[in-house]
Amino acid sequence: MESEVVYTPIDSLAPTRQLDVTVEGQREGREARLFKSPQGYAIYVLPQLEMTPEEPCCDLAYARVDDGFFMRIERIDDAMDLATLRENMQLALSSVGPAEEAGLQAYFPPEARAEVELSMRAVGDGVSMAMLVARIDGGRYRVTQHLPHREALEGIPPSFRAMLGSLRTTAPKGEG
């Protein structure tokens, strides 16, 4: 028997909130603004990043200084088979390099309410890409991070990590 899913009411989320970002061992609070997705979730976006709906299924966060650094968040079907998701991820990552398992909690802060089901990454010539599947507040998500190996890298992955820790599912899929 499945337990009843309780979504985070969108009205209970403040328009801004502090997110803790750790860069090179230094932890600092940064004010982030609320982004309400048509996919039925909300996430806090840090100032150096922009967040926009990309397609009917996805939203995209990208670095203002270099849009080659981006994170795609896709709300996926709860019933999607994990083996199929793994195959899809391996295929997508193969464009960068060989896919390998990644640390399950590497992309979320420890306090995040995320259950990571699958996490893979690939490192290629000049770019790293990571993909994960996680359940958060009753929603299921596929997250892709595209990280070029160049200067802006230092603060971007920790910013993505802090943002993912703020993600809350606010409605059933397709009712955002």
Side-chain angles (χ1 to χ4, degrees), residues 100-153:
E100 60 185 35
E101 298 292 324
L104 285 182
Q105 291 300 332
Y107 301 99
F108 286 91
E111 67 277 6
R113 302 189 314 208
E115 176 192 328
V116 179
E117 297 178 288
L118 184 59
S119 179
M120 301 181 85
R121 68 187 188 110
V123 178
D125 196 19
V127 69
S128 296
M129 195 158 88
M131 296 182 79
L132 58 103
V133 173
R135 292 183 188 271
I136 303 166
D137 287 348
R140 195 173 192 207
Y141 300 88
R142 176 171 34 213
V143 177
T144 303
Q145 292 183 7
H146 186 266
L147 306 167
H149 301 162
R150 49 186 185 249
E151 184 58 35
L153 182 62

Side-chain angles (χ1 to χ4, degrees), residues 2-18:
E2 287 189 30
S3 60
E4 184 179 334
V5 175
V6 179
Y7 299 110
T8 300
I10 193 81
D11 298 343
S12 72
L13 299 171
T16 61
R17 99 170 226 213
Q18 289 286 311

Side-chain angles (χ1 to χ4, degrees), residues 65-173:
V65 295
D66 183 344
D67 64 5
F69 291 89
F70 64 84
M71 175 172 64
R72 178 177 289 114
I73 301 173
E74 178 185 1
R75 181 95 180 253
I76 60 173
D77 193 334
D78 287 343
M80 238 175 153
D81 177 59
L82 209 51
T84 303
L85 287 167
R86 179 184 302 274
E87 287 174 20
N88 292 346
M89 286 167 66
Q90 287 172 329
L91 182 62
L93 290 168
S94 71
S95 67
V96 170
E100 60 185 35
E101 298 292 324
L104 285 182
Q105 291 300 332
Y107 301 99
F108 286 91
E111 67 277 6
R113 302 189 314 208
E115 176 192 328
V116 179
E117 297 178 288
L118 184 59
S119 179
M120 301 181 85
R121 68 187 188 110
V123 178
D125 196 19
V127 69
S128 296
M129 195 158 88
M131 296 182 79
L132 58 103
V133 173
R135 292 183 188 271
I136 303 166
D137 287 348
R140 195 173 192 207
Y141 300 88
R142 176 171 34 213
V143 177
T144 303
Q145 292 183 7
H146 186 266
L147 306 167
H149 301 162
R150 49 186 185 249
E151 184 58 35
L153 182 62
E154 178 185 298
I156 301 300
S159 296
F160 286 161
R161 184 174 192 227
M163 286 172 53
L164 284 174
S166 76
L167 193 150
R168 297 292 176 262
T169 303
T170 57
K173 186 174 186 272

Side-chain angles (χ1 to χ4, degrees), residues 34-57:
L34 185 65
F35 172 82
K36 298 174 185 178
S37 170
Q39 311 305 316
Y41 73 88
I43 190 169
Y44 285 90
V45 181
L46 289 161
Q48 75 273 34
L49 298 159
E50 191 63 48
M51 186 101 183
T52 181
E54 182 190 33
E55 302 168 9
C57 68

